[in-house]
């Protein structure tokens, strides 16, 4: 349904761009910018949902000792597959059907309690509809915000070049702040999912699991924390120990 809606919206943008749908209050330059931003969002709203729904290349987990200790919500299945991008464990799916995919390396290297922590972490993402929310927040941050700023500029009478430059600088700052808030939300979401995972296991299991992920080079700290999806390891362990 979301893919269909995204396709319809994109078709409308195309019709506006080539003037099949008349929009007298939007000039040609603005139409071009809207079309460019809409095109950049295709991977998020069309390609990625199709990829997320595909489970043909996944193998059932078949780890009864682990599966018996996990209470999965309706429509959620555990799978295993070697990760091409060294993700370790991740969620695929939509609002009604989800898959948690675990790299075989984790199954071999981690204890059951550590695996349970990671699975419940991913279940928190499913429970909170984080895949869908992230798609909309990404679109809002990277696509909608600049379009709004450009549209606002059309109603401002820039009497001097300095006024125009000032608006451009303010717009860039606003855009940067919105993107920083987007990444801040993602990091806070990860901490919340860690707490959820530890509530079904323990902070010790969570700590050991995160350390193991770093040792396997699945978790990698970055100096650009403000633009990172995940908090650094120290922050995540501190978050668990404060539970």
């Amino acid at each position: 349904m979301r893919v269909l809606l995204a396709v319809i919206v994109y078709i409308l943008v195309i019709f506006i761009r080539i003037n099949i749908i008349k929009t007298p209050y939007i000039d040609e330059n603005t139409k071009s910018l809207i079309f460019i931003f809409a095109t950049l969002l295709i991977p998020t709203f069309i390609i990625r949902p199709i990829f997320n729904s595909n489970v043909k290349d996944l193998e059932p987990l078949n780890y009864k000792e682990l599966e018996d200790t996990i209470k999965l919500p309706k429509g959620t299945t555990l799978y295993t597959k070697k990760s091409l991008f060294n993700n370790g464990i991740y969620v695929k799916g939509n609002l009604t059907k989800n898959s948690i995919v675990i790299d075989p390396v984790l199954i071999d290297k981690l204890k059951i309690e550590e695996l349970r922590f990671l699975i419940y972490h991913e279940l928190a993402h499913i429970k909170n509809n984080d895949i869908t929310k992230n798609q909309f927040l990404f679109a809002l941050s990277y696509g909608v915000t600049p379009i709004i700023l450009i549209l606002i500029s059309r109603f401002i009478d820039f009497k001097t070049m300095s006024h125009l430059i000032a608006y451009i600088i303010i717009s860039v700052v606003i855009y940067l702040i919105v993107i920083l808030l987007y990444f801040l939300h993602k990091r806070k979401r990860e901490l919340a999912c860690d707490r959820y995972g530890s509530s079904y296991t323990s902070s010790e299991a969570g700590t050991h699991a995160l350390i193991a992920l770093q040792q396997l080079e699945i978790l990698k700290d970055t100096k650009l924390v403000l633009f990172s999806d995940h908090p650094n390891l120290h922050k995540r362990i501190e978050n668990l120990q404060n539970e």
Side-chain angles (χ1 to χ4, degrees):
M1 183 65 183
R2 284 180 296 164
V3 174
L4 178 61
L5 179 60
V7 170
I8 292 172
V9 170
Y10 188 62
I11 290 172
L12 289 175
V13 170
I14 293 174
F15 284 172
I16 291 171
R17 178 64 190 88
I18 61 180
N19 294 317
I20 292 178
I21 296 178
K22 302 299 181 181
T23 52
Y25 297 105
I26 303 178
D27 62 32
E28 292 302 312
N29 290 334
T30 303
K31 290 178 184 178
S32 295
L33 288 170
I34 292 173
F35 173 74
I36 290 169
F37 283 118
T39 302
L40 291 174
L41 294 174
I42 285 177
T44 297
F45 284 95
I46 298 178
I47 298 175
R48 186 171 181 179
I50 294 173
F51 167 78
N52 278 339
S53 300
N54 181 23
V55 296
K56 292 180 179 179
D57 58 340
L58 303 179
E59 298 180 10
L61 182 60
N62 291 328
Y63 190 170
K64 191 173 186 304
E65 188 178 359
L66 171 62
E67 292 175 278
D68 287 346
T69 67
I70 303 291
K71 186 177 180 180
L72 296 174
K74 185 179 178 181
T76 301
T77 308
L78 298 176
Y79 291 98
T80 182
K81 181 189 177 185
K82 177 63 180 175
S83 175
L84 295 176
F85 302 103
N86 206 24
N87 291 329
I89 181 169
Y90 58 95
V91 174
K92 294 179 65 172
N94 50 47
L95 291 174
T96 58
K97 189 175 181 180
N98 292 282
S99 308
I100 297 177
V101 186
I102 309 171
D103 193 305
V105 172
L106 296 186
I107 298 171
D108 292 337
K109 300 289 186 181
L110 272 61
K111 298 177 181 177
I112 284 184
E113 275 301 288
E114 295 165 359
L115 289 170
R116 290 183 71 244
F117 167 81
L118 295 177
I119 291 170
Y120 275 108
H121 174 105
E122 299 304 324
L123 286 174
H125 284 304
I126 294 172
K127 178 183 177 183
N128 298 327
N129 292 323
D130 284 337
I131 293 177
T132 300
K133 289 178 182 177
N134 186 62
Q135 288 175 338
F136 280 101
L137 289 174
F138 177 86
L140 178 64
S141 303
Y142 284 90
V144 177
T145 299
I147 290 173
I148 291 174
L149 292 170
I150 291 168
L151 290 176
I152 290 174
S153 71
R154 303 301 177 188
F155 297 96
I156 299 176
D157 182 16
F158 298 106
K159 297 185 181 300
T160 66
M161 181 60 68
S162 60
H163 290 165
L164 175 60
I165 293 172
Y167 183 79
I168 292 173
I169 293 173
I170 291 171
S171 296
V172 170
V173 171
I174 291 173
Y175 189 36
L176 181 61
I177 290 172
V178 170
I179 291 174
L180 288 173
L181 289 174
Y182 166 72
F183 281 107
L184 176 63
H185 170 77
K186 294 188 76 174
R187 292 194 300 274
K188 286 189 173 181
R189 183 187 67 190
E190 293 302 321
L191 294 176
C193 290
D194 281 347
R195 291 193 295 271
Y196 185 85
S198 69
S199 71
Y200 282 88
T201 54
S202 66
S203 59
E204 291 79 11
T207 299
H208 292 155
L210 294 174
I211 291 173
L213 291 182
Q214 187 180 61
Q215 291 172 342
L216 293 169
E217 298 186 344
I218 294 170
L219 280 185
K220 297 178 181 179
D221 285 350
T222 175
K223 293 181 179 179
L224 297 174
V225 179
L226 293 178
F227 294 96
S228 174
D229 291 343
H230 292 71
N232 283 342
L233 179 63
H234 173 76
K235 181 69 175 178
R236 295 182 71 173
I237 291 176
E238 184 181 67
N239 172 63
L240 289 173
Q241 292 176 344
N242 289 337
E243 269 292 284

